[in-house]
Amino acid sequence: MQIANQIRDILTKEFTPAKLEIIDDSSKHAGHSGADPRGESHFSVLVVSDKFDGENRVSRQRLVYSALDQLLKDRVHALALKTMTPAEYEAVAAQRNP
């Protein structure tokens, strides 16, 4: 999971996340356009960070794409993002576990 570790390192440095989940979805895309035979080309990522406070969804995603720019150009084909502030994450968690 070299690419996943690189994603983790970059996002940790850039956003100091309260929560960070990285899921390698590459196996779901084997044989599809953009799939890399080496794997680690498709990811789902959850980033919970105070740095998203006051930013809209598009702006948050742009911040993450900017941080991962080189990996997206060179290695990562697809990135499904969930970006939340800690307060938003806690509110969602509270709804799931009343």
Side-chain angles (χ1 to χ4, degrees):
M1 300 247 326
Q2 177 184 4
I3 303 301
N5 289 337
Q6 290 178 36
I7 292 170
R8 181 173 310 285
D9 291 346
I10 291 166
L11 295 180
T12 298
K13 180 179 176 184
E14 186 70 26
F15 297 101
T16 317
K19 182 160 186 70
L20 178 60
E21 293 179 357
I22 301 168
I23 299 170
D24 183 353
D25 293 325
S26 301
S27 64
K28 297 177 187 176
H29 301 277
H32 296 164
S33 175
D36 191 314
R38 298 171 290 178
E40 291 194 291
S41 58
H42 294 69
F43 293 91
S44 295
V45 177
L46 166 67
V47 185
V48 178
S49 174
D50 287 324
K51 290 198 176 184
F52 297 137
D53 193 37
E55 302 288 343
N56 66 33
R57 183 180 58 86
V58 173
S59 177
R60 293 172 184 191
Q61 291 186 351
R62 285 181 179 152
L63 290 169
V64 174
Y65 291 141
S66 178
L68 297 175
D69 182 59
Q70 199 58 50
L71 279 178
L72 292 169
K73 287 178 182 174
D74 296 340
R75 191 66 165 77
V76 176
H77 176 73
L79 190 64
L81 289 176
K82 287 186 184 176
T83 54
M84 307 172 93
T85 66
E88 291 167 341
Y89 183 77
E90 289 175 18
V92 169
Q95 289 176 348
R96 290 184 183 156
N97 301 315

